[in-house]
Amino acid sequence: MSHHFIRFTGVHYSYPDGTEALKGVSFTATHGERVAILGLNGSGKSTLLLQTNGLLLPTTGEVNVGDVPVTKKTASLVRQAVGMVFQDPDDMLFMPTVYDDVAFGPRNMNLPEVEVERRVTAALKAVGLEEVSKKAAFQLSGGQRRSVAIASVLSMKPDILVLDEPSANLDLSARDNLIKLLDTFHHTILLATHDLEMAKQLCPRAILLNQGRIIADDSTEKVIETFFSVCLRKEQ
Amino acid sequence: MAKTEKILYSLTKIDKGRRTVVPTVVMLILTILYLVAVLSVPLHMPQKLIWLTAYPIFLSELCGIGYLKIFVRSLWILPILIFIGIFNPFIDTAPAFTIGNVTVNRGWVSLFSILLRGIIAFQSVLILVSTSGIIETFNSLRKIGCPAVLVTQLQLTYRYIAVIIEESLTIKRACAARGFGKRSYPLKLWSRLIGQLLVKSTHRATKIHLAMLARGFNGVLPTGNAVYWTSTSWLWLFGGIVFIAILRFTDFTSLLLHLTGNFNR
Ligand SMILES: Nc1ncnc2c1ncn2[C@@H]1O[C@H](COP(=O)(O)OP(=O)(O)OP(=O)(O)O)[C@@H](O)[C@H]1O
Ligand SMILES: [Mg+2]
């Protein structure tokens, strides 16, 4: 996949219980572009992100990553390109030690163990957590778990990075580190977040979701203004 | 610390094991051979089993665990063994031997045989797990040719225990935090909590599975650590096999009687 872009075309998605979480979402994020996904709780951000690597497949509509349409068949190919940080780090961490968790992706890529070790060390260093590599995930603080979850995706060196509220639970310095770290990532980023400052600092462009529909797609500054008016309308 | 939390911590200890002189794969092969040796001893020959206890004693000391610890832990299996063998003395009443004027029947001999056999077999497995760690043991199973799918099933089942414990811990905390010091809850609430525990654990397991897929999981857990067999492994394997074979096939009992000159039964 030479072109690291993501394209959603008329994507609808309903959960098995009938909840319509996405109601016709279309947008394209081109190579190297960083797009913030904004929206109220339950507006469909996480659902949208899960479509990017085929963990959920559209009920109707199409998602393309590079030249590849995301289907059941192509999912494993797409997942090598798209690195995804889940909203809840506990959903990602399951190996006995932090080290093994960060090594999980690279080992699945069948890399030689030397390379795996190099990547794990680098990824843990990037999030400032080398010293906990021998611990189990449940022995970490909430913010540390978050950082490990991020490291476990960085170690895969993805072409496209998809993050679901990565700054939640992080302290100020960890958050700053994360922003700097993401700033050095020169490929495509999709970032769902409630951290508007972070969105402004990292992403020139933003998409605003409301009840499963895109209601604004513009420069982050402008979209945030629209977002405020949506919030106001909801409060009234 | 709460009991549930302690279990979690001890799980991580079992996970990792401790570094020992004997390489993991060798340990696994020797344990399997030892199990075969123990299980192949006929029921009416418990004296042979007594000599085979030398293996767990020697190995636990060699690996620096201490036999006492292993022995105490192995007693856990005793109730199960008693359950298996308890009827033997009443079924098999043929006399085996007499001491003074007490006749011991064959049933008692086989009961003793079952208990001893079960305990030392369990001890050897305990030593394997506490030296190599569950994870490494699973990985070694892969290395000696166990099908990957099977081993992955075992590994995930084992990881799932940790997930359930973690979930039960959060439920317990949530209850405690809003329970105003209440210590007991009505049975009805308990049944709902347990149902909830299953639902939550399943949900989390599903999420974890998604996250695994997102990181390239293809049905087989990667084993990692590349070096499994070194030149010293052959030495350990050879030494271990000889040791077990000697324990199993030498008739120490008659040898001893012979040496002390009392060979006249
Ligand atoms: N597993 C599920 N089954 C049924 N409905 C779900 C499920 N997960 C989410 N939903 C529903 O889908 C809608 C979108 O949820 P989603 O998680 O995408 O929201 P979100 O924008 O990520 O919200 P937040 O900011 O709170 O993370 C919500 O109405 C939610 O209730
Ligand atoms: Mg969400």
Side-chain angles (χ1 to χ4, degrees):
Chain A
M1 270 174 281
S2 50
H3 304 288
H4 308 153
F5 68 80
I6 295 190
R7 176 180 298 136
F8 276 60
T9 328
V11 172
H12 285 258
Y13 183 80
S14 304
Y15 279 101
D17 67 350
T19 312
E20 248 193 300
L22 296 180
K23 303 168 186 163
V25 170
S26 302
F27 71 94
T28 305
T30 56
H31 185 179
E33 197 173 19
R34 296 178 192 162
V35 184
I37 316 278
L38 307 179
L40 298 170
N41 288 139
S43 56
K45 301 183 294 297
S46 299
T47 312
L48 186 152
L49 295 192
L50 286 170
Q51 314 267 340
T52 56
N53 60 0
L55 290 173
L56 297 180
L57 292 169
T59 317
T60 59
E62 200 178 71
V63 179
N64 284 277
V65 172
D67 328 317
V68 184
V70 182
T71 61
K72 244 197 181 120
K73 271 193 194 146
T74 60
S76 65
L77 180 70
V78 170
R79 283 172 198 152
Q80 290 179 11
V82 181
M84 172 135 170
V85 179
F86 282 56
Q87 181 159 10
D88 185 350
D90 281 342
D91 290 344
M92 297 187 64
L93 309 178
F94 67 98
M95 292 295 271
T97 66
V98 164
Y99 183 97
D100 287 323
D101 248 317
V102 180
F104 182 74
R107 281 178 183 159
N108 277 329
M109 297 159 87
N110 291 324
L111 296 172
E113 196 61 20
V114 213
E115 174 64 13
V116 171
E117 192 178 339
R118 192 161 32 216
R119 286 191 179 198
V120 174
T121 319
L124 283 175
K125 195 170 168 210
V127 296
L129 279 182
E130 304 118 299
E131 74 276 18
V132 300
S133 71
K134 292 273 173 294
K135 280 195 169 190
F138 78 92
Q139 294 165 321
L140 301 180
S141 77
Q144 287 173 331
R145 286 182 210 196
R146 165 85 49 198
S147 303
V148 172
I150 294 170
S152 74
V153 168
L154 289 180
S155 64
M156 296 173 64
K157 298 203 176 160
D159 296 330
I160 297 169
L161 202 50
V162 174
L163 307 122
D164 200 346
E165 292 187 36
S167 64
N169 292 331
L170 292 187
D171 66 30
L172 283 180
S173 102
R175 177 177 166 279
D176 273 354
N177 270 339
L178 177 65
I179 293 177
K180 278 188 202 126
L181 182 66
L182 294 180
D183 215 13
T184 60
F185 187 83
H186 291 299
H187 301 299
T188 315
I189 294 184
L190 285 191
L191 169 74
T193 186
H194 295 291
D195 184 340
L196 299 181
E197 272 310 308
M198 183 180 184
K200 244 192 266 180
Q201 279 179 47
L202 270 176
C203 308
R205 173 184 168 198
I207 285 174
L208 180 58
L209 275 181
N210 192 25
Q211 297 179 9
R213 288 194 182 86
I214 294 182
I215 56 168
D217 179 351
D218 210 326
S219 75
T220 306
E221 302 270 334
K222 280 194 187 142
V223 168
I224 287 177
E225 271 171 36
T226 322
F227 192 21
F228 282 142
S229 66
V230 171
C231 293
L232 277 178
R233 231 184 300 149
K234 200 188 171 194
E235 278 165 26
Q236 277 159 12
Chain B
M1 196 170 11
K3 209 171 183 176
T4 343
E5 253 174 313
K6 271 196 190 140
I7 299 178
L8 261 184
Y9 275 90
S10 58
L11 264 186
T12 60
K13 254 193 223 145
I14 301 176
D15 280 346
K16 288 175 207 152
R18 51 168 91 196
R19 289 272 148 257
T20 55
V21 276
V22 191
T24 306
V25 180
V26 174
M27 195 74 127
L28 178 68
I29 298 175
L30 289 182
T31 306
I32 293 172
L33 290 177
Y34 179 72
L35 288 177
V36 171
V38 168
L39 295 180
S40 66
V41 174
L43 264 187
H44 61 276
M45 298 173 92
Q47 72 274 17
K48 281 205 161 258
L49 289 173
I50 296 179
W51 297 106
L52 278 163
T53 41
Y55 174 84
I57 296 177
F58 179 72
L59 207 62
S60 56
E61 294 300 335
L62 179 72
C63 298
I65 310 168
Y67 184 63
L68 187 66
K69 213 166 163 184
I70 293 291
F71 181 76
V72 171
R73 280 194 195 169
S74 67
L75 294 181
W76 276 82
I77 196 99
L78 211 52
I80 301 175
L81 296 174
I82 291 178
F83 182 74
I84 295 173
I86 191 64
F87 295 112
N88 281 16
F90 306 105
I91 295 167
D92 193 354
T93 48
F97 57 90
T98 43
I99 305 171
N101 44 21
V102 181
T103 308
V104 177
N105 72 32
R106 290 224 316 237
W108 285 107
V109 174
S110 55
L111 173 62
F112 176 72
S113 205
I114 289 173
L115 295 187
L116 187 57
R117 173 195 311 257
I119 285 196
I120 56 179
F122 190 52
Q123 284 175 353
S124 69
V125 175
L126 274 179
I127 295 173
L128 170 70
V129 169
S130 47
T131 52
S132 311
I134 293 256
I135 302 298
E136 278 299 294
T137 305
F138 285 146
N139 286 348
S140 311
L141 273 174
R142 282 269 294 282
K143 293 286 159 180
I144 64 167
C146 228
V149 180
L150 193 77
V151 179
T152 300
Q153 284 302 321
L154 286 175
Q155 278 172 312
L156 290 183
T157 310
Y158 168 69
R159 292 313 306 163
Y160 196 62
I161 296 174
V163 171
I164 290 186
I165 296 176
E166 273 181 56
E167 286 300 340
S168 63
L169 191 63
T170 47
I171 291 184
K172 214 172 113 188
R173 280 184 181 155
C175 276
R178 286 176 286 167
F180 303 103
K182 212 165 146 184
R183 289 194 163 266
S184 67
Y185 296 97
L187 194 65
K188 202 169 155 206
L189 182 64
W190 270 113
S191 62
R192 287 178 70 182
L193 284 185
I194 288 172
Q196 210 43 42
L197 176 64
L198 285 182
V199 172
K200 279 183 76 174
S201 316
T202 316
H203 181 71
R204 230 191 104 194
T206 320
K207 280 289 190 64
I208 288 176
H209 184 232
L210 281 187
M212 287 165 77
L213 289 178
R215 287 187 281 161
F217 178 66
N218 57 358
V220 171
L221 285 179
T223 48
N225 303 356
V227 186
Y228 271 82
W229 199 265
T230 59
S231 46
T232 49
S233 301
W234 287 111
L235 278 179
W236 282 110
L237 183 65
F238 182 71
I241 290 176
V242 170
F243 183 49
I244 293 174
I246 290 176
L247 291 180
R248 174 67 183 81
F249 295 113
T250 316
D251 193 353
F252 285 105
T253 320
S254 28
L255 197 69
L256 215 65
L257 291 172
H258 195 71
L259 284 180
T260 48
N262 286 337
F263 194 55
N264 45 9
R265 248 197 318 170

